[in-house]
Amino acid sequence: LQTDLYAFSLSAVRRALQDGQAVVTDNAVLDPLFREARSVHLRQLKSIVALPVPDAGGAPMGVFYLDHRFETGLFGGPLLEALKAFAALAGLALQKGRMIEALNANNRDLSQRLQVQSRELNRSRLILKNEYSEIVGRSPQMTEVLSLVDRITDAKVPVWVFGESGTGKESIARALHFNSARAKKPFVTENCSALPESLLESELFGHKKGSFTHATADKKGILQYADGGTIFLDEIADMSLNLQAKLLRFLQEGEIRPIGSTEVVRVDVRVVSASNKDLEGLVAAGKFREDLFYRLNGVTVRLPPLRERMEDLALLADHFLKKKDVRLSPEALRVFLNYSWPGNIRELQNTLETASLFAESGVLTPHSLQFKPALFRDRVPAGPRPSTLGAQPLPSPSSPAAVDPVLEETLRAIRDNAYHKGYAAKALGITRRALYARLQRFGLSTDVKDLKMKIEESLL
């Protein structure tokens, strides 16, 4: 309701807004335009001016209004032009204010997003001095591995990488070499199980012409080729005891002697070895030299199998499928999460490469995986799993350890989608930004490790 002090003509204001034109009257009481205007006759309004205040497109976003109860013909001539100019300036001022308000809101939103992303990046991988682009994974297990690799990159100490076949042992060796001061020198690999003893010895140490049958020329061994760099000896457990003794001499003295030669050659090579067999067990069984084991095992890097770091599976899939312009559907991801992956990352990569041939409109669905029945037959056993918790239900709202239903739904979606926030948001029917906002509302970090701890606590 209008008070006497602030009474005005709503009719004039409405017409100015609707028509987008100035409404001016010299005597509203006598003007036919205001015959039905109750406020005009009640207040005996005389001179009225209602000027639309334009937005950037020229449409009225408000009205500049003046009236006078006693004088007629007040708003005309130069005064009217001045008032129009004032209304136009008022429109510009309002537009600027709205733009500043929108800009501040966008800046606040961007700042929050950058803070979330920065915390997620820094806390998921600690603060590493090197970038490990070839190694995909943000699980706690891989964070610990990369933290260890980061500390020993520039050391000359030998490294033994222990892990199942297909876990990426060579990737660790490459990371150690190409992030070190030796990066500009050779990185040489040799699979110790791929060659018989005599040929492997020749490959490692070289030979002189005529030293054995078919030795028709001098040959430099790969240890000499790798001088100043790194050699990666894969499947070191399959090396014969005789050859182990010769490798031990090299590690102790830094010297090699080619087959058939009386001269020794000094070389500076960092040795990274790997095995899918437990060397300590082989030492105990007398199948591997104890002194060589301690020489090779300056630092042990233990790589977890894929089934123990399933929260990395979605990231790995995205990494392998990126070049093929194919993505994994949430349904296919769940099939992958229920498989034990005995061949680890190598098996996952090969499976994805084959599955991409059967992609439907650039998306891998469970139907795209029918070529591999084991995915649907070999189910991960129910009960606690080392890292995914996929077989354990979250507590019901009525249980003593119950959580907020919305929080429960959110944590369940994150867990069931291998801690991939994009997939989790899609499963919840919300945007990734909305998921971050929801986590913040419940006081939760977006960091994978923190979320995993929260889910584990909820399962107690």
Side-chain angles (χ1 to χ4, degrees):
L1 295 176
Q2 299 181 42
T3 65
D4 286 342
L5 184 61
Y6 298 107
F8 60 91
S9 173
L10 283 174
S11 299
V13 171
R14 290 194 187 101
R15 185 172 292 275
L17 280 174
Q18 291 171 359
D19 298 342
Q21 301 293 327
V23 176
V24 183
T25 181
D26 294 333
N27 191 337
V29 174
L30 302 178
D31 193 332
L33 189 66
F34 296 97
R35 183 178 298 137
E36 304 298 329
R38 181 173 176 272
S39 58
V40 168
H41 296 283
L42 183 64
R43 308 301 174 190
Q44 290 295 297
L45 300 179
K46 302 298 191 293
S47 298
I48 294 177
V49 61
L51 301 173
V53 178
D55 61 13
M61 59 178 171
V63 173
F64 176 63
Y65 174 89
L66 288 173
D67 66 31
H68 202 288
R69 299 184 183 184
F70 309 110
E71 292 189 31
T72 61
L74 183 63
F75 305 117
L79 179 58
L80 179 59
E81 294 304 315
L83 292 174
K84 287 181 178 179
F86 181 82
L89 289 174
L92 292 174
L94 288 172
Q95 292 172 42
K96 184 176 180 179
R98 288 182 177 181
M99 290 174 61
I100 292 174
E101 183 181 358
L103 182 62
N104 288 337
N106 287 336
N107 285 339
R108 288 193 298 270
D109 179 61
L110 180 60
S111 177
Q112 290 175 355
R113 290 168 61 187
L114 288 175
Q115 288 176 6
V116 169
Q117 292 175 0
S118 178
R119 286 198 302 269
E120 183 175 353
L121 178 62
N122 290 335
R123 297 179 66 182
S124 65
R125 278 210 167 183
L126 305 178
I127 300 178
L128 303 177
K129 64 181 180 180
N130 296 308
E131 177 64 32
Y132 301 102
S133 57
E134 290 188 5
I135 304 174
V136 178
R138 291 187 299 188
S139 62
Q141 296 92 328
M142 288 308 298
T143 298
E144 291 179 7
V145 168
L146 292 179
S147 179
L148 174 59
V149 170
D150 212 49
R151 291 196 294 270
I152 62 175
T153 295
D154 289 316
K156 190 180 177 181
V157 59
V159 177
W160 173 47
V161 186
F162 178 46
E164 296 179 6
S165 294
T167 50
K169 297 186 287 294
E170 185 173 340
S171 295
I172 296 296
R174 289 182 176 277
L176 286 167
H177 174 74
F178 288 106
N179 287 294
S180 73
R182 297 173 177 265
K184 294 183 179 180
K185 295 295 183 177
F187 174 78
V188 183
T189 67
E190 184 62 61
N191 189 322
C192 298
S193 65
L195 296 173
E197 179 182 344
S198 58
L199 288 181
L200 181 58
E201 182 179 0
S202 174
E203 283 294 310
L204 291 175
F205 303 104
H207 64 253
K208 300 295 290 183
K209 178 181 178 180
S211 57
F212 56 85
T213 305
H214 303 306
T216 57
D218 290 354
K219 179 182 178 180
K220 186 186 295 187
I222 59 175
L223 284 170
Q224 192 172 350
Y225 273 117
D227 189 23
T230 304
I231 186 169
F232 174 59
L233 299 176
D234 198 9
E235 304 303 343
I236 190 75
D238 294 333
M239 183 178 287
S240 69
L241 290 172
N242 178 53
L243 205 50
Q244 288 177 33
K246 296 182 179 181
L247 180 61
L248 176 63
R249 173 180 170 78
F250 159 69
L251 292 172
Q252 290 173 332
E253 308 296 337
E255 298 176 344
I256 61 171
R257 188 171 67 181
I259 300 174
S261 174
T262 58
E263 298 180 358
V264 295
V265 181
R266 293 199 62 84
V267 291
D268 173 24
V269 177
R270 184 184 193 180
V271 176
V272 180
S273 59
S275 174
N276 60 7
K277 300 174 183 176
D278 186 358
L279 293 184
E280 291 181 278
L282 294 177
V283 168
K287 296 181 179 179
F288 198 87
R289 292 182 63 108
E290 184 176 17
D291 46 6
L292 177 60
F293 170 68
Y294 290 120
R295 279 287 178 179
L296 291 172
N297 189 23
V299 175
T300 301
V301 177
R302 296 183 181 272
L303 277 180
L306 181 55
R307 63 182 175 275
E308 292 182 7
R309 45 176 291 217
M310 294 291 271
E311 53 264 61
D312 288 335
L313 194 146
L315 292 173
L316 288 163
D318 287 346
H319 174 73
F320 292 134
L321 293 173
K322 188 177 299 181
K323 294 181 180 179
K324 299 182 177 295
D325 197 25
V326 174
R327 64 181 178 86
L328 192 65
S329 71
E331 295 78 15
L333 176 61
R334 293 189 184 95
V335 173
F336 278 17
L337 291 173
N338 282 321
Y339 181 61
S340 60
W341 298 103
N344 294 294
I345 298 174
R346 185 183 298 123
E347 183 185 6
L348 173 64
Q349 182 177 7
N350 293 338
T351 299
L352 289 169
E353 287 179 355
T354 303
S356 63
L357 300 175
F358 303 97
E360 302 169 7
S361 300
V363 180
L364 292 186
T365 66
H367 184 70
S368 310
L369 307 174
Q370 296 299 321
F371 70 92
K372 188 168 183 174
L375 289 171
F376 304 90
R377 184 174 61 246
D378 181 15
R379 316 297 285 182
V380 174
R385 287 192 283 175
S387 62
T388 63
L389 307 174
Q392 303 181 41
L394 287 167
S396 65
S398 60
S399 69
V403 295
D404 183 284
V406 176
L407 175 58
E408 178 188 353
E409 178 189 37
T410 304
L411 294 179
R412 188 189 304 279
I414 293 172
R415 180 200 65 188
D416 291 348
N417 286 277
Y419 297 86
H420 189 294
K421 300 183 189 68
Y423 286 141
K426 185 175 181 180
L428 291 167
I430 60 177
T431 64
R432 183 190 287 260
R433 180 178 169 186
L435 176 63
Y436 285 150
R438 183 180 292 185
L439 291 173
Q440 289 180 331
R441 176 158 60 90
F442 286 108
L444 296 177
S445 167
T446 58
D447 176 56
V448 172
K449 185 175 182 180
D450 291 344
L451 286 172
K452 186 172 181 293
M453 290 177 61
K454 175 63 178 177
I455 291 175
E456 288 175 342
E457 291 172 1
S458 300
L459 296 172
L460 294 177

